Amino acid sequence: MDAQPQPVSHDHGAARQPPPIVAVGSVILSLALVAIGNGLMFAYIPVKLGAEGFAPTWAGGILTGLSAGGIAGCLLTGALVRRIGHARAYMVLSALIVLSNAGVAAGVHPVLWIAARALYGFAICAMFIVAQSWLNDQVDNSIRGRIMAVFYVSYVVGLGIGSLLLAAVEINSMQAPLVGIVFTALSMLPVGMTRLAQPPPPEAASVALRRAWSISPVGIVGMFAVGGLSMMIAGFTPIHATAKGFSQQQVATLLFALPLGTLLFQIPFGWISDRTDRRYVLIAASLLVVIAGVAAARFDTATLTVILVIYIVWSGASESIYSLSSAHANDRASKADLVELASTMLFAWSISGFIVPALGTLLTATFGTQSFIYVAIAIAASFAAFVVWRVVAARPVPSADTGAFAPMTAQAPLPVDLAFQPEDEQRQP
């Protein structure tokens, strides 16, 4: 009997919380600020290494180190959040990104940079998982799709802004990592001041490749394909452009084109996929990646304008494979399978994002930086052939049973619902 008055007094403060959109917006704004620093550092590192006379393989090794850190982030985030909660985990991960950028600012030492970017890979992957699970727990189903779309689009816009900032920094100084530190510090403020309620501690997520294959072969293979495909295009484009002799401003402009392609292509692809078999759209996107890749190789010495158009298409089509594969897998999964499926697909994306850049680095050392184009073509062509086989072998999901498409970026982990529970369970008194 005495237990009832106490929650009333504690809930009095909760009644004065800001509108949900303000609280949710604090997390979205924070990741967008992080993305600006991320986009700048992706552009800065290969350009800086090239200016200092280091071989392109060093930039490839640093990219592989980042991917290795991402695998650790995918595997260890749940344990971190269970120990200290979402808000504290987010602040710890922000501090690790600051330390990573400080390591880059310490001087041009490629081995140190590999370690620093591995630390960054761990932190950014874990930060995304924390932020997404936090939002998923607090947002109702009625607006979840729109909120997550804004979340991803904001991050993509931040990447583009960060890429453009490369043109404004002094490449012979350590301005870029310092600017990255500033944006990371700024990103702590919205989350540090948010009144968004923290979710309950998450349960451990499991990886079940066999079960994921039984649910959606196209979905799981799509994640294996796009993990490496995205890292090839987004990661090796600045390496190749720097090796070709592109100026600092040209590299910045080229990298700005990549997220622009993501924004231009995902919505129309998603709209079509909601109205037909998503596998047909996946085949079209994969073939477009192949065509754009062939054009990238054929017109590698063309004017910057021509190259920009090609890379906008190339990046936009490849990023669409990510969100289409996720949507297709979710269409075929039961509600009870969603968390395990997302964890497994995240694992597949992470493994591919580590192995393929390592292969690209080895090929770069032997055949030159243009090798990444042919690796991307091979991945996309193989995936298109696999999806064609699945169209022949398996029936489509009825359009009435499919979910709504949501734009995503392969530069960020899939939303793994670490703390999400069905709404009827959350609302129980």
Side-chain angles (χ1 to χ4, degrees), residues 254 257 265 292 304-314:
L254 181 57
F265 278 79
L304 180 61
T305 301
V306 173
I307 293 175
L308 286 176
V309 173
I310 292 171
Y311 276 68
I312 286 173
V313 175
W314 203 21

mmCIF file with all atom_site columns, all heavy atoms in Angstrom, residues 254 257 265 292 304-314:
data_model
loop_
_atom_site.group_PDB
_atom_site.id
_atom_site.type_symbol
_atom_site.label_atom_id
_atom_site.label_alt_id
_atom_site.label_comp_id
_atom_site.label_asym_id
_atom_site.label_entity_id
_atom_site.label_seq_id
_atom_site.pdbx_PDB_ins_code
_atom_site.Cartn_x
_atom_site.Cartn_y
_atom_site.Cartn_z
_atom_site.occupancy
_atom_site.B_iso_or_equiv
_atom_site.pdbx_formal_charge
_atom_site.auth_seq_id
_atom_site.auth_comp_id
_atom_site.auth_asym_id
_atom_site.auth_atom_id
_atom_site.pdbx_PDB_model_num
ATOM 1   N N   . LEU A 1 254 ? 35.032 14.799 -54.285 1.00 0.00 ? 254 LEU A N   1
ATOM 2   C CA  . LEU A 1 254 ? 34.702 13.424 -54.659 1.00 0.00 ? 254 LEU A CA  1
ATOM 3   C C   . LEU A 1 254 ? 34.058 12.679 -53.498 1.00 0.00 ? 254 LEU A C   1
ATOM 4   O O   . LEU A 1 254 ? 33.069 11.954 -53.680 1.00 0.00 ? 254 LEU A O   1
ATOM 5   C CB  . LEU A 1 254 ? 35.973 12.700 -55.129 1.00 0.00 ? 254 LEU A CB  1
ATOM 6   C CG  . LEU A 1 254 ? 35.808 11.246 -55.587 1.00 0.00 ? 254 LEU A CG  1
ATOM 7   C CD1 . LEU A 1 254 ? 34.802 11.144 -56.721 1.00 0.00 ? 254 LEU A CD1 1
ATOM 8   C CD2 . LEU A 1 254 ? 37.160 10.678 -56.020 1.00 0.00 ? 254 LEU A CD2 1
ATOM 9   N N   . ALA A 1 257 ? 30.512 13.493 -52.946 1.00 0.00 ? 257 ALA A N   1
ATOM 10  C CA  . ALA A 1 257 ? 29.604 12.874 -53.906 1.00 0.00 ? 257 ALA A CA  1
ATOM 11  C C   . ALA A 1 257 ? 29.092 11.525 -53.426 1.00 0.00 ? 257 ALA A C   1
ATOM 12  O O   . ALA A 1 257 ? 27.978 11.115 -53.785 1.00 0.00 ? 257 ALA A O   1
ATOM 13  C CB  . ALA A 1 257 ? 30.307 12.702 -55.260 1.00 0.00 ? 257 ALA A CB  1
ATOM 14  N N   . PHE A 1 265 ? 19.578 7.822  -54.326 1.00 0.00 ? 265 PHE A N   1
ATOM 15  C CA  . PHE A 1 265 ? 19.148 6.537  -54.863 1.00 0.00 ? 265 PHE A CA  1
ATOM 16  C C   . PHE A 1 265 ? 18.267 5.720  -53.911 1.00 0.00 ? 265 PHE A C   1
ATOM 17  O O   . PHE A 1 265 ? 17.422 4.940  -54.367 1.00 0.00 ? 265 PHE A O   1
ATOM 18  C CB  . PHE A 1 265 ? 20.379 5.691  -55.256 1.00 0.00 ? 265 PHE A CB  1
ATOM 19  C CG  . PHE A 1 265 ? 20.919 6.040  -56.602 1.00 0.00 ? 265 PHE A CG  1
ATOM 20  C CD1 . PHE A 1 265 ? 21.724 7.154  -56.776 1.00 0.00 ? 265 PHE A CD1 1
ATOM 21  C CD2 . PHE A 1 265 ? 20.625 5.273  -57.712 1.00 0.00 ? 265 PHE A CD2 1
ATOM 22  C CE1 . PHE A 1 265 ? 22.225 7.494  -58.019 1.00 0.00 ? 265 PHE A CE1 1
ATOM 23  C CE2 . PHE A 1 265 ? 21.118 5.600  -58.966 1.00 0.00 ? 265 PHE A CE2 1
ATOM 24  C CZ  . PHE A 1 265 ? 21.922 6.713  -59.119 1.00 0.00 ? 265 PHE A CZ  1
ATOM 25  N N   . ALA A 1 292 ? 28.446 0.884  -63.104 1.00 0.00 ? 292 ALA A N   1
ATOM 26  C CA  . ALA A 1 292 ? 29.168 2.067  -62.633 1.00 0.00 ? 292 ALA A CA  1
ATOM 27  C C   . ALA A 1 292 ? 30.629 1.743  -62.349 1.00 0.00 ? 292 ALA A C   1
ATOM 28  O O   . ALA A 1 292 ? 31.518 2.578  -62.581 1.00 0.00 ? 292 ALA A O   1
ATOM 29  C CB  . ALA A 1 292 ? 28.495 2.617  -61.378 1.00 0.00 ? 292 ALA A CB  1
ATOM 30  N N   . LEU A 1 304 ? 36.999 15.606 -63.690 1.00 0.00 ? 304 LEU A N   1
ATOM 31  C CA  . LEU A 1 304 ? 36.422 15.411 -62.365 1.00 0.00 ? 304 LEU A CA  1
ATOM 32  C C   . LEU A 1 304 ? 34.898 15.359 -62.435 1.00 0.00 ? 304 LEU A C   1
ATOM 33  O O   . LEU A 1 304 ? 34.274 14.569 -61.708 1.00 0.00 ? 304 LEU A O   1
ATOM 34  C CB  . LEU A 1 304 ? 36.865 16.530 -61.425 1.00 0.00 ? 304 LEU A CB  1
ATOM 35  C CG  . LEU A 1 304 ? 36.326 16.457 -59.993 1.00 0.00 ? 304 LEU A CG  1
ATOM 36  C CD1 . LEU A 1 304 ? 36.785 15.176 -59.309 1.00 0.00 ? 304 LEU A CD1 1
ATOM 37  C CD2 . LEU A 1 304 ? 36.748 17.688 -59.198 1.00 0.00 ? 304 LEU A CD2 1
ATOM 38  N N   . THR A 1 305 ? 34.290 16.144 -63.313 1.00 0.00 ? 305 THR A N   1
ATOM 39  C CA  . THR A 1 305 ? 32.824 16.144 -63.425 1.00 0.00 ? 305 THR A CA  1
ATOM 40  C C   . THR A 1 305 ? 32.299 14.774 -63.819 1.00 0.00 ? 305 THR A C   1
ATOM 41  O O   . THR A 1 305 ? 31.325 14.270 -63.239 1.00 0.00 ? 305 THR A O   1
ATOM 42  C CB  . THR A 1 305 ? 32.374 17.194 -64.458 1.00 0.00 ? 305 THR A CB  1
ATOM 43  O OG1 . THR A 1 305 ? 32.835 18.488 -64.053 1.00 0.00 ? 305 THR A OG1 1
ATOM 44  C CG2 . THR A 1 305 ? 30.856 17.211 -64.572 1.00 0.00 ? 305 THR A CG2 1
ATOM 45  N N   . VAL A 1 306 ? 32.933 14.146 -64.797 1.00 0.00 ? 306 VAL A N   1
ATOM 46  C CA  . VAL A 1 306 ? 32.521 12.812 -65.233 1.00 0.00 ? 306 VAL A CA  1
ATOM 47  C C   . VAL A 1 306 ? 32.703 11.799 -64.105 1.00 0.00 ? 306 VAL A C   1
ATOM 48  O O   . VAL A 1 306 ? 31.821 10.968 -63.839 1.00 0.00 ? 306 VAL A O   1
ATOM 49  C CB  . VAL A 1 306 ? 33.323 12.377 -66.478 1.00 0.00 ? 306 VAL A CB  1
ATOM 50  C CG1 . VAL A 1 306 ? 33.029 10.917 -66.834 1.00 0.00 ? 306 VAL A CG1 1
ATOM 51  C CG2 . VAL A 1 306 ? 33.008 13.284 -67.663 1.00 0.00 ? 306 VAL A CG2 1
ATOM 52  N N   . ILE A 1 307 ? 33.823 11.878 -63.432 1.00 0.00 ? 307 ILE A N   1
ATOM 53  C CA  . ILE A 1 307 ? 34.092 10.949 -62.333 1.00 0.00 ? 307 ILE A CA  1
ATOM 54  C C   . ILE A 1 307 ? 33.083 11.139 -61.208 1.00 0.00 ? 307 ILE A C   1
ATOM 55  O O   . ILE A 1 307 ? 32.606 10.163 -60.605 1.00 0.00 ? 307 ILE A O   1
ATOM 56  C CB  . ILE A 1 307 ? 35.540 11.138 -61.826 1.00 0.00 ? 307 ILE A CB  1
ATOM 57  C CG1 . ILE A 1 307 ? 36.530 10.693 -62.907 1.00 0.00 ? 307 ILE A CG1 1
ATOM 58  C CG2 . ILE A 1 307 ? 35.766 10.357 -60.533 1.00 0.00 ? 307 ILE A CG2 1
ATOM 59  C CD1 . ILE A 1 307 ? 37.978 10.954 -62.550 1.00 0.00 ? 307 ILE A CD1 1
ATOM 60  N N   . LEU A 1 308 ? 32.711 12.378 -60.921 1.00 0.00 ? 308 LEU A N   1
ATOM 61  C CA  . LEU A 1 308 ? 31.724 12.641 -59.869 1.00 0.00 ? 308 LEU A CA  1
ATOM 62  C C   . LEU A 1 308 ? 30.396 11.975 -60.190 1.00 0.00 ? 308 LEU A C   1
ATOM 63  O O   . LEU A 1 308 ? 29.776 11.345 -59.319 1.00 0.00 ? 308 LEU A O   1
ATOM 64  C CB  . LEU A 1 308 ? 31.532 14.147 -59.697 1.00 0.00 ? 308 LEU A CB  1
ATOM 65  C CG  . LEU A 1 308 ? 32.642 14.921 -58.997 1.00 0.00 ? 308 LEU A CG  1
ATOM 66  C CD1 . LEU A 1 308 ? 32.332 16.418 -59.015 1.00 0.00 ? 308 LEU A CD1 1
ATOM 67  C CD2 . LEU A 1 308 ? 32.834 14.443 -57.562 1.00 0.00 ? 308 LEU A CD2 1
ATOM 68  N N   . VAL A 1 309 ? 29.932 12.091 -61.423 1.00 0.00 ? 309 VAL A N   1
ATOM 69  C CA  . VAL A 1 309 ? 28.663 11.474 -61.812 1.00 0.00 ? 309 VAL A CA  1
ATOM 70  C C   . VAL A 1 309 ? 28.731 9.958  -61.644 1.00 0.00 ? 309 VAL A C   1
ATOM 71  O O   . VAL A 1 309 ? 27.813 9.327  -61.108 1.00 0.00 ? 309 VAL A O   1
ATOM 72  C CB  . VAL A 1 309 ? 28.309 11.848 -63.267 1.00 0.00 ? 309 VAL A CB  1
ATOM 73  C CG1 . VAL A 1 309 ? 27.087 11.063 -63.739 1.00 0.00 ? 309 VAL A CG1 1
ATOM 74  C CG2 . VAL A 1 309 ? 28.059 13.342 -63.394 1.00 0.00 ? 309 VAL A CG2 1
ATOM 75  N N   . ILE A 1 310 ? 29.824 9.373  -62.074 1.00 0.00 ? 310 ILE A N   1
ATOM 76  C CA  . ILE A 1 310 ? 29.986 7.920  -61.976 1.00 0.00 ? 310 ILE A CA  1
ATOM 77  C C   . ILE A 1 310 ? 29.972 7.476  -60.510 1.00 0.00 ? 310 ILE A C   1
ATOM 78  O O   . ILE A 1 310 ? 29.282 6.508  -60.146 1.00 0.00 ? 310 ILE A O   1
ATOM 79  C CB  . ILE A 1 310 ? 31.290 7.475  -62.657 1.00 0.00 ? 310 ILE A CB  1
ATOM 80  C CG1 . ILE A 1 310 ? 31.204 7.682  -64.167 1.00 0.00 ? 310 ILE A CG1 1
ATOM 81  C CG2 . ILE A 1 310 ? 31.596 6.000  -62.335 1.00 0.00 ? 310 ILE A CG2 1
ATOM 82  C CD1 . ILE A 1 310 ? 32.517 7.474  -64.895 1.00 0.00 ? 310 ILE A CD1 1
ATOM 83  N N   . TYR A 1 311 ? 30.681 8.184  -59.669 1.00 0.00 ? 311 TYR A N   1
ATOM 84  C CA  . TYR A 1 311 ? 30.793 7.771  -58.278 1.00 0.00 ? 311 TYR A CA  1
ATOM 85  C C   . TYR A 1 311 ? 29.502 8.028  -57.502 1.00 0.00 ? 311 TYR A C   1
ATOM 86  O O   . TYR A 1 311 ? 29.207 7.326  -56.529 1.00 0.00 ? 311 TYR A O   1
ATOM 87  C CB  . TYR A 1 311 ? 31.986 8.448  -57.609 1.00 0.00 ? 311 TYR A CB  1
ATOM 88  C CG  . TYR A 1 311 ? 33.294 7.729  -57.849 1.00 0.00 ? 311 TYR A CG  1
ATOM 89  C CD1 . TYR A 1 311 ? 33.868 7.696  -59.113 1.00 0.00 ? 311 TYR A CD1 1
ATOM 90  C CD2 . TYR A 1 311 ? 33.941 7.058  -56.827 1.00 0.00 ? 311 TYR A CD2 1
ATOM 91  C CE1 . TYR A 1 311 ? 35.062 7.025  -59.351 1.00 0.00 ? 311 TYR A CE1 1
ATOM 92  C CE2 . TYR A 1 311 ? 35.134 6.390  -57.039 1.00 0.00 ? 311 TYR A CE2 1
ATOM 93  C CZ  . TYR A 1 311 ? 35.694 6.368  -58.312 1.00 0.00 ? 311 TYR A CZ  1
ATOM 94  O OH  . TYR A 1 311 ? 36.871 5.691  -58.542 1.00 0.00 ? 311 TYR A OH  1
ATOM 95  N N   . ILE A 1 312 ? 28.736 9.028  -57.893 1.00 0.00 ? 312 ILE A N   1
ATOM 96  C CA  . ILE A 1 312 ? 27.420 9.232  -57.266 1.00 0.00 ? 312 ILE A CA  1
ATOM 97  C C   . ILE A 1 312 ? 26.532 8.022  -57.520 1.00 0.00 ? 312 ILE A C   1
ATOM 98  O O   . ILE A 1 312 ? 25.884 7.493  -56.614 1.00 0.00 ? 312 ILE A O   1
ATOM 99  C CB  . ILE A 1 312 ? 26.764 10.520 -57.809 1.00 0.00 ? 312 ILE A CB  1
ATOM 100 C CG1 . ILE A 1 312 ? 27.446 11.753 -57.210 1.00 0.00 ? 312 ILE A CG1 1
ATOM 101 C CG2 . ILE A 1 312 ? 25.262 10.545 -57.494 1.00 0.00 ? 312 ILE A CG2 1
ATOM 102 C CD1 . ILE A 1 312 ? 26.973 13.066 -57.803 1.00 0.00 ? 312 ILE A CD1 1
ATOM 103 N N   . VAL A 1 313 ? 26.517 7.555  -58.764 1.00 0.00 ? 313 VAL A N   1
ATOM 104 C CA  . VAL A 1 313 ? 25.722 6.369  -59.103 1.00 0.00 ? 313 VAL A CA  1
ATOM 105 C C   . VAL A 1 313 ? 26.278 5.130  -58.409 1.00 0.00 ? 313 VAL A C   1
ATOM 106 O O   . VAL A 1 313 ? 25.528 4.320  -57.845 1.00 0.00 ? 313 VAL A O   1
ATOM 107 C CB  . VAL A 1 313 ? 25.696 6.159  -60.633 1.00 0.00 ? 313 VAL A CB  1
ATOM 108 C CG1 . VAL A 1 313 ? 24.970 4.871  -60.991 1.00 0.00 ? 313 VAL A CG1 1
ATOM 109 C CG2 . VAL A 1 313 ? 25.057 7.352  -61.324 1.00 0.00 ? 313 VAL A CG2 1
ATOM 110 N N   . TRP A 1 314 ? 27.586 4.997  -58.436 1.00 0.00 ? 314 TRP A N   1
ATOM 111 C CA  . TRP A 1 314 ? 28.247 3.810  -57.864 1.00 0.00 ? 314 TRP A CA  1
ATOM 112 C C   . TRP A 1 314 ? 27.961 3.694  -56.374 1.00 0.00 ? 314 TRP A C   1
ATOM 113 O O   . TRP A 1 314 ? 27.552 2.634  -55.890 1.00 0.00 ? 314 TRP A O   1
ATOM 114 C CB  . TRP A 1 314 ? 29.741 3.923  -58.125 1.00 0.00 ? 314 TRP A CB  1
ATOM 115 C CG  . TRP A 1 314 ? 30.490 2.622  -58.106 1.00 0.00 ? 314 TRP A CG  1
ATOM 116 C CD1 . TRP A 1 314 ? 29.973 1.374  -58.281 1.00 0.00 ? 314 TRP A CD1 1
ATOM 117 C CD2 . TRP A 1 314 ? 31.895 2.447  -57.935 1.00 0.00 ? 314 TRP A CD2 1
ATOM 118 N NE1 . TRP A 1 314 ? 30.967 0.428  -58.226 1.00 0.00 ? 314 TRP A NE1 1
ATOM 119 C CE2 . TRP A 1 314 ? 32.161 1.063  -58.008 1.00 0.00 ? 314 TRP A CE2 1
ATOM 120 C CE3 . TRP A 1 314 ? 32.947 3.323  -57.721 1.00 0.00 ? 314 TRP A CE3 1
ATOM 121 C CZ2 . TRP A 1 314 ? 33.438 0.539  -57.877 1.00 0.00 ? 314 TRP A CZ2 1
ATOM 122 C CZ3 . TRP A 1 314 ? 34.231 2.805  -57.597 1.00 0.00 ? 314 TRP A CZ3 1
ATOM 123 C CH2 . TRP A 1 314 ? 34.472 1.428  -57.670 1.00 0.00 ? 314 TRP A CH2 1
#
